[in-house]
Structure formats: structure tokens, C-alpha cells
Amino acid sequence: MSATLSPSNSPRVRRRGSTRRPRAASHLPPFTQESHDAALYAIRHYLKGRTSYDTFPVSFRLIVLDSRLEVKKALQCLLLNGVVSAPLWNSERSCFAGMFTVSDIIHLIQYYYKCSSYDAAAADVETFRLESLRDIERQLGVDPPPLLREHPSASLYDASKRLIQTHARRLPLLDNDTETGHEVIVSILTQYRLLKFISINCPKEIQQLHMPLRKLGIGTYVNPPPLPPSGEKPEGYNPFHPIATATMDTPVFDVVHMFSERGISAVPIVDEEGIVVNLYETVDVITLVRLGAYQSLDLTISEALNQRSPDFPGVVICTASDSLGTLMQLIKKRRVHRLVVVEGEKGRLLGIITLSDVLRYLIGDVSIGEAHLEPSVPSTDPTPTPDPGHAPAEASAPSEPQASVEAAPAADPVPDAPATEEAAAAPPEEKQEAGAEAEAAPAPAE
């Protein structure tokens, strides 16, 4: 005998009334100035107990260029390996000979633009050698870069101090061959690798860095000079002082001159209302001159951006109220070399933050003193476990609040550019480490 359930004979199920349980109390300490300072001290204390060896990836390769190599071949080598700098090796003396960076290319461009001609540049670049770049700097009146070096066993704190004191973006790590006594280039420590190492291995401290970026004095912010009583803007008045800016109609060489004169690696591109529409970087210049196309420097920024590589990641923006912890979380997740600070819904230029600014705050004597006594500081985790390979630690890192810093694509629908300042070879997201992560075997001792 079959039966079917109908609404009239269906059994009624009585449901219990819902009761709201009290929310469990958070075990995280409250965010205070004291917790921020304690986290900052814990990070510095941690770096004093770690060496540059700890930052090495599990596997890497190092691109080393002979100082007698022609500039054109050196450029091709950098581009093929996805890097924008490399250490130089003097094979005659079997010693380290400095770094070949984007700044050298900028100086070379200025030299030919001022002292020679495009035709001479195209001819000379075929035979011009890397070892002659210092002669170019002397003729331009540019101070030669210091011959920085550090031993891989030196503490990360000392290496960080060296980067800050010399305003360098990368630090060559050198050892000596035990048999010959000659120098051996082991690796390159960059600002990005150092900051990412901190963000991966000090997750609890990073969460405590809750204070706003501008309040901490991190970055450079717009502070234009006052207008005269007449209210008229004098010639050359920069409403975004002290930040160098350009428009889509600015010639490329004018921006190249800003790079050299100010020692910067990127210039925000703004419209007539001050809205950030793009960013022009030193690596964009390499795209133009890699084939000896020095005439391209007469192009406007708008025309030059059309020649960008399509893998440009976009302009990374943030607000002045974003926290330092949020920025460090972003550095852990993606390759970042600078952030443009904007305000308002349209994104008007307010400032710019570089990795140098972030490193200077984390390592420098800011907000807390070096005489801070360790027992009096309630560090959340003074001795985190290092992760030389980076990837495993990143995967196991505890969940963190979603970053409010975001990557905004350029406003203009132009093909975007290659990686920024410090490019590294390997996967696309790993570009820009400036020779550091494009690392292989040490330079030959002989």
C-alpha cells in the first residue's frame, strides 16, 4: 500500500528558537603606539641575528658582466635575462669592478645628447665598453657610484644600514676564494629582497605596524611653495613640489634629465587636474635605446608609452591613511618598488613612496631609540623562524587583513611597460630584482 505525503498529513517539525552566543573575545593585543614601537624594535632585533645568507632563495642564478664587454652586448644580455642591472667583473685583475645599472644608461644618453650626435651614438655604442662608463660620468660632472660591497655573513641589520647610508638600491655580496684569495661575487642584496624577507619572517610584527604612512613620515608629499600676493604663478612653478612630474606631452628626454638630475627612478604622469594617469620609469628608457634608437628620446611620453611591453603591472597606488603593515603585506604578495600616494575619488597626486623610504623607517632611528631595553619591550615574536626559500614561509604565513593598497591600471589605454626598477629573470611576476634574483653561479675566481 502506497501513501503520499500531503500538506495536510505531513508531520510538523518544531524548531528551537535561535539563541545568539556571545562573540569570543579577540586574543590580539590592542593597536597602540607602544605595540607599534615594540614591533619595530623586534624587527630590528631580528635582523641583527640574521645574515645576508638567510635571504638567498633556494635556487638562483647571477648574471655577471665582464667590464670589457661592449655596452650594446651588455644591454642585450640584460634584456634577454629580464634584469636591469648586473655586477661587473675585471677579468685582468680577477676582482669586482662595480655595478652596471640603469643610471649608467641614463648618463650615456645625456652624454651623447649634449656632447655628440645621434649618429655618433649609434656608431659608438657598437664599440663602447663598460669600463669606459666612468669616463662619461667625469665628463658630465657626475659623482662616480661608490664601490659598495658586503660579506654575506654580515648581519642583515648592518647591510640595511649600509644601503640607507649610501642611498643605494642594491648591495653586492662578496666573499674570497679559499685557494686563490681572489674575490668571488656571491649574490646581490636588494631593497625589495630585504623587505620581502622581513614581511615573510616577521608576520606578527607586521600586523602591529598599524599607523598611517603619512603620520610616520614615510614618503615624499606635495608641499608647493606659497604663491606671491598677486596670486599669479611664477614661471616654472611646480604645484606638486618637491615631486617631479610630467604630462603626456612632455618630451622623453626632459624626463630622462629629471632621472639624472634628481637621482630618481620614476616620474608620475599627471593631467591638467593633477590626476595620476601613468608612471614613466627608468626601465622604459631601456626599451627605447636597446636597438640604438636614440632618436626616440624626442618622442612625447604619450608616444613612448605606446612602445611599452604589455606585461607592465600598472601603477601601484595607496592613500596617506594606509598603514605600514598593509604596505608590507603587499610587498610580500607582489613585486612593488614604489607607490604613488593619491587623494580623492579621482586620484589626485599627493605623494610618492619608495622602498628606500620604507627601509629607512624600519631600520633607521625613527619613533624608538636604539637604547631601548629588550626586557621592557613586549615583543610579539622576537625570534621568528627565517625562511631562506621565501615560498614555503609565504604559503604558511597566517591570514592577514586584506590590503587596501591597490594596483591601478594606467588611465590611458596604452600598452604597458616592462618591469620596474630592479628586474629579475625567471617568472613574469619575479621581474625587476636588478640582477639580484637573476642569479646563478658565483663569478669565476680567475
Side-chain angles (χ1 to χ4, degrees), residues 340-357:
V340 179
V341 186
V342 298
E343 61 179 346
E345 295 182 357
K346 294 184 178 180
R348 179 178 170 82
L349 177 64
L350 179 62
I352 192 163
I353 297 174
T354 66
L355 296 189
S356 298
D357 298 326

Side-chain angles (χ1 to χ4, degrees), residues 75-116:
L75 279 174
Q76 292 174 343
C77 179
L78 295 183
L79 291 167
L80 288 175
N81 288 279
V83 298
V84 293
S85 72
L88 300 178
W89 183 259
N90 188 321
S91 55
E92 294 181 353
R93 300 180 181 178
S94 295
C95 65
F96 173 64
M99 295 287 296
F100 177 52
T101 68
V102 181
S103 297
D104 295 315
I105 301 172
I106 298 297
H107 295 155
L108 189 63
I109 291 171
Q110 284 197 306
Y111 171 76
Y112 282 120
Y113 194 90
K114 293 181 177 179
C115 308
S116 188

Side-chain angles (χ1 to χ4, degrees), residues 131-206:
E131 59 189 358
S132 302
L133 289 173
R134 302 301 168 247
D135 297 332
I136 295 292
E137 292 171 346
R138 282 192 289 269
Q139 295 189 42
L140 290 175
V142 178
D143 294 332
L147 201 61
L148 298 178
R149 66 185 71 195
E150 191 63 81
H151 195 276
S153 62
S155 75
L156 275 177
Y157 185 80
D158 291 338
S160 302
K161 282 284 191 181
R162 193 78 181 274
L163 286 171
I164 295 171
Q165 292 167 358
T166 58
H167 305 282
R169 297 184 179 95
R170 56 192 69 85
L171 181 63
L173 303 175
L174 274 65
D175 202 346
N176 291 93
D177 189 286
T178 55
E179 296 182 358
T180 65
H182 292 158
E183 293 178 332
V184 177
I185 305 174
V186 179
S187 184
I188 305 293
L189 178 65
T190 64
Q191 294 174 339
Y192 172 77
R193 175 182 289 184
L194 179 56
L195 290 173
K196 184 172 182 178
F197 180 82
I198 295 173
S199 65
I200 290 175
N201 293 287
C202 302
K204 294 182 180 179
E205 286 78 7
I206 295 303

Side-chain angles (χ1 to χ4, degrees), residues 216-235:
L216 297 176
I218 300 176
T220 303
Y221 295 87
V222 172
N223 185 23
L227 292 173
S230 62
E232 295 182 2
K233 295 181 180 179
E235 185 178 356

